[in-house]
Amino acid sequence: MTSPHPHLNSSPAPHSLLTSRNFILLVAGQGLSLFANTMLRFAMSMWVLDKTGSVSTFASMLATAVVPTILLSPFGGVLADRISRRTIMVALDALSGTFIVLAAVWFAAGNGFSMVAVSALMVSLSVLSAFETPTVQAALPQLLRDSGKTTMRRGMAIVNQVQQLTSLLPSFAGGVLYAAFGIRMMLIISITGFYATAILECFLRLAPPRRAAHDGAATTNASTITTDEDAPTAMPTPIEDIKEALHFLARKQPNILKLMLFATAVNFFVNGNSSVGFTYMVRATLGFNANVYGISEGIVGIAGVAGAFITGALASKLIIERFPVACYAIAVCVLPCAVAFAAPFNDWTRLALIVASFCGMIIAASFTTIIAIPAIQMRTPEALTGKVMAMVSSLSICAMPLGQMAYGWAYDHVSPLWIALATAAAIAALTFRARSLFAHFDAL
């Protein structure tokens, strides 16, 4: 059957897809959106710290705001598989900018700082993120699926490079801007970023997502499902759509589900240790001041950018069978933290070992991301991509606060030496246990 939108469904040569107008617009939009989001979170954390004297208050608020993302992400995936992904992205980024405008008006209208208003803003953006993340993760394979796994991995690597860069810039510029201009300028930058993203996304060309066949369906569109006898049937409910994705993972591609669970377990250790352990060891254990900590964190951020570029250069070699190698590398990179506290080094030597350890971990983690995400996307039908990637996102998000709480408790009660050894051993043991999964990943 001839497509009514031939220009949307044509398949340009793989080498040109990564320089195509559509791909550049998608990547630029996501970079701007992430920059705006990161700048806003940085500004809010600084403002809350100034007004309350407690950054833990803002951290607790962010942890609470994660709940809507976890609960609503599967429904965001349903929406991403039903209507135009471009429309969803434009609407959500425009709404994000509008919510910040409303908050800025509230703050400026004589109300001043309000923890309730800050919380409402962060929860609102969390709700929007629950719908945007699976949409973006479904749009990338829609653009690149027909070009093969190598191009998909290279595309994902480019997206990762932009994400690392745009998340790093607010850390360098945010403090200077906040000190010089205050919260209003930071809000203006965030508003501009979200609205600019929405404008860029208006020029994307994405065909409507293909609907999955139900009950012998032969052809589908965005509003009806037509059977072989051309008898229209009712659109499945969101719950039925989610059940369909779960059935796909449990029955048709159980190895994808196992990969998702394994990656979540590794994420528990990596993100939990990174978000809590680095700060604790540098500030509390070694006693370095905020300037040294900021420089150290910046070095780790630069390593993240370097990891994104390295994975891009090696994308063609990052096949699923090499996933365990990347996980073992994470485990090995944890060990310098143990060495730092096992020997009688001075504090600066220990700091160097800790920074080197976390630089290695973030680079190795970049490899796991570029291997795992395209592997899932390429093996998932387009009609289910949004829902499956929403489940990936939900599992990943769940692992973060759980890991932070576990490591927060651990660093309060256990020496960093034993925490590092236990983390390395746990990741290595998990990887060894799952090695057969990756050796026969496509076997059903």
Side-chain angles (χ1 to χ4, degrees), residues 1-10 219-220:
M1 182 170 131
T2 303
S3 168
H5 304 286
H7 65 287
L8 298 179
N9 297 323
S10 58
T219 59
T220 65

Side-chain angles (χ1 to χ4, degrees), residues 113-202:
F113 176 82
S114 168
M115 199 66 213
V116 173
V118 173
S119 299
L121 174 61
M122 302 313 295
V123 170
S124 298
L125 294 178
S126 176
V127 171
L128 296 181
S129 177
F131 289 88
E132 182 165 24
T133 300
T135 303
V136 173
Q137 290 179 330
L140 181 64
Q142 183 179 352
L143 286 177
L144 303 179
R145 183 184 300 277
D146 295 336
S147 60
K149 296 178 182 178
T150 297
T151 302
M152 178 76 83
R153 286 192 289 266
R154 285 175 177 161
M156 186 67 202
I158 291 171
V159 171
N160 195 32
Q161 290 163 13
V162 173
Q163 288 176 341
Q164 292 288 345
L165 283 169
T166 52
S167 63
L168 184 63
L169 289 175
S171 298
F172 287 131
V176 176
L177 290 172
Y178 182 81
F181 302 104
I183 190 65
R184 291 184 181 180
M185 177 59 71
M186 308 288 277
L187 292 176
I188 290 171
I189 291 173
S190 297
I191 292 165
T192 304
F194 279 118
Y195 280 140
T197 301
I199 292 170
L200 280 178
E201 289 166 343
C202 286

Side-chain angles (χ1 to χ4, degrees), residues 230-263:
D230 294 328
T233 60
M235 173 70 75
T237 66
I239 297 298
E240 289 172 337
D241 263 355
I242 293 171
K243 286 181 178 179
E244 180 186 11
L246 290 172
H247 180 267
F248 167 78
L249 291 172
R251 300 296 182 186
K252 296 184 179 180
Q253 287 286 351
N255 282 349
I256 291 181
L257 179 59
K258 292 176 184 176
L259 171 59
M260 290 165 57
L261 295 173
F262 175 81

Side-chain angles (χ1 to χ4, degrees), residues 296-311:
S296 302
E297 191 174 51
I299 293 171
V300 175
I302 292 171
V305 176
F309 280 93
I310 293 169
T311 54

Side-chain angles (χ1 to χ4, degrees), residues 25-379:
L25 285 172
L26 181 65
V27 172
Q30 291 317 298
L32 271 174
S33 180
L34 181 62
F35 177 83
N37 202 322
T38 307
M39 184 66 79
L40 178 69
R41 288 173 181 265
F42 182 90
M44 290 293 105
S45 65
M46 296 291 288
W47 202 30
V48 171
L49 180 61
D50 284 347
K51 297 298 182 180
T52 68
S54 172
V55 75
S56 64
T57 301
F58 184 72
S60 300
M61 182 184 64
L62 284 181
T64 303
V66 163
V67 175
T69 303
I70 295 171
L71 296 178
L72 296 176
S73 284
F75 296 98
V78 170
L79 190 67
D81 289 337
R82 288 196 176 197
I83 67 174
S84 168
R85 289 159 183 161
R86 180 187 68 175
T87 301
I88 297 173
M89 289 188 286
V90 171
L92 292 176
D93 282 309
L95 278 173
S96 296
T98 301
F99 282 147
I100 303 173
V101 168
L102 294 174
V105 170
W106 173 268
F107 296 138
N111 298 299
F113 176 82
S114 168
M115 199 66 213
V116 173
V118 173
S119 299
L121 174 61
M122 302 313 295
V123 170
S124 298
L125 294 178
S126 176
V127 171
L128 296 181
S129 177
F131 289 88
E132 182 165 24
T133 300
T135 303
V136 173
Q137 290 179 330
L140 181 64
Q142 183 179 352
L143 286 177
L144 303 179
R145 183 184 300 277
D146 295 336
S147 60
K149 296 178 182 178
T150 297
T151 302
M152 178 76 83
R153 286 192 289 266
R154 285 175 177 161
M156 186 67 202
I158 291 171
V159 171
N160 195 32
Q161 290 163 13
V162 173
Q163 288 176 341
Q164 292 288 345
L165 283 169
T166 52
S167 63
L168 184 63
L169 289 175
S171 298
F172 287 131
V176 176
L177 290 172
Y178 182 81
F181 302 104
I183 190 65
R184 291 184 181 180
M185 177 59 71
M186 308 288 277
L187 292 176
I188 290 171
I189 291 173
S190 297
I191 292 165
T192 304
F194 279 118
Y195 280 140
T197 301
I199 292 170
L200 280 178
E201 289 166 343
C202 286
F203 297 97
L204 275 171
R205 294 180 180 177
L206 288 174
R210 300 168 189 166
R211 288 290 302 158
H214 295 271
D215 301 325
T219 59
T220 65
N221 58 39
S223 59
T224 64
I225 300 177
T226 306
T227 65
D228 291 331
E229 291 77 22
D230 294 328
T233 60
M235 173 70 75
T237 66
I239 297 298
E240 289 172 337
D241 263 355
I242 293 171
K243 286 181 178 179
E244 180 186 11
L246 290 172
H247 180 267
F248 167 78
L249 291 172
R251 300 296 182 186
K252 296 184 179 180
Q253 287 286 351
N255 282 349
I256 291 181
L257 179 59
K258 292 176 184 176
L259 171 59
M260 290 165 57
L261 295 173
F262 175 81
T264 300
V266 173
N267 198 34
F268 171 90
F269 293 106
V270 173
N271 280 330
N273 193 31
S274 298
S275 58
V276 175
F278 187 76
T279 304
Y280 184 91
M281 285 186 283
V282 175
R283 296 298 307 275
T285 304
L286 300 181
F288 285 104
N289 61 29
N291 290 332
V292 173
Y293 172 75
I295 293 170
S296 302
E297 191 174 51
I299 293 171
V300 175
I302 292 171
V305 176
F309 280 93
I310 293 169
T311 54
L314 299 176
S316 61
K317 299 179 181 179
L318 300 182
I319 57 178
I320 191 66
E321 289 80 5
R322 289 178 175 156
F323 191 83
V325 176
C327 293
Y328 282 129
I330 294 175
V332 170
C333 289
V334 176
L335 294 177
C337 284
V339 173
F341 294 98
F345 296 122
N346 62 44
D347 286 347
W348 285 102
T349 302
R350 286 177 172 171
L351 176 65
L353 286 169
I354 291 168
V355 171
S357 176
F358 280 88
C359 286
M361 278 191 279
I362 196 170
I363 291 173
S366 297
F367 280 82
T368 63
T369 299
I370 302 306
I371 294 173
I373 298 299
I376 295 171
Q377 290 171 330
M378 288 296 293
R379 290 165 175 82

